[in-house]
Amino acid sequence: MEILRSVVVLVHLVGFAILFGAWVVEAAARRVRVTPLMSYALVISLVTGLALSAPWGLDHDLNYAKIGIKLVVLIVIGALLGIGSARQKRTGTLPAAIFWPIGILALLNAGLAVVWH
């Protein structure tokens, strides 16, 4: 059971890495846009995060406050991605006020996972 949980943690980290990496690539290229890869990565992070929040085979209690806050941050990122991609399709551009919080919130979510025990 521990091996399966470790694999799910790895896939969860890969989802974050893809989301943040795709955002960094766009930011470094000075292209303020949302890519489909960011949305796929968000789904990977959401599904694996929900799987990790289930109390399966653990010898300690889960931190439900941390899980709830991370879920809210992920939902906000999803909303920004959805609004951003719709606006991008409609107008061809994306406001910086939608683009920059995506990366900042993704990094915040990873920071919460690492710092908050």
Side-chain angles (χ1 to χ4, degrees):
M1 189 62 89
E2 188 63 31
I3 292 173
L4 178 60
R5 184 167 178 79
S6 296
V7 169
V8 174
V9 168
L10 175 65
V11 174
H12 187 65
L13 291 173
V14 168
F16 159 75
I18 293 170
L19 173 61
F20 190 68
W23 180 84
V24 167
V25 166
E26 297 302 319
R30 299 184 191 269
R31 293 185 301 244
V32 179
R33 67 178 186 174
V34 173
T35 64
L37 187 60
M38 292 178 190
S39 298
Y40 299 142
L42 182 80
V43 171
I44 291 169
S45 293
L46 176 64
V47 170
T48 55
L50 290 175
L52 289 171
S53 65
W56 47 309
L58 290 178
D59 56 350
H60 61 279
D61 291 333
L62 293 173
N63 187 343
Y64 289 107
K66 175 181 166 182
I67 291 168
I69 291 171
K70 286 179 58 64
L71 181 61
V72 168
V73 171
L74 196 67
I75 290 170
V76 171
I77 294 170
L80 289 171
L81 285 173
I83 293 166
S85 64
R87 189 171 289 186
Q88 189 172 283
K89 285 178 187 174
R90 190 174 53 240
T91 65
T93 60
L94 179 69
I98 293 177
F99 177 75
W100 290 104
I102 292 170
I104 293 166
L105 289 172
L107 191 59
L108 171 71
N109 228 3
L112 286 173
V114 172
V115 175
W116 190 354
H117 293 283

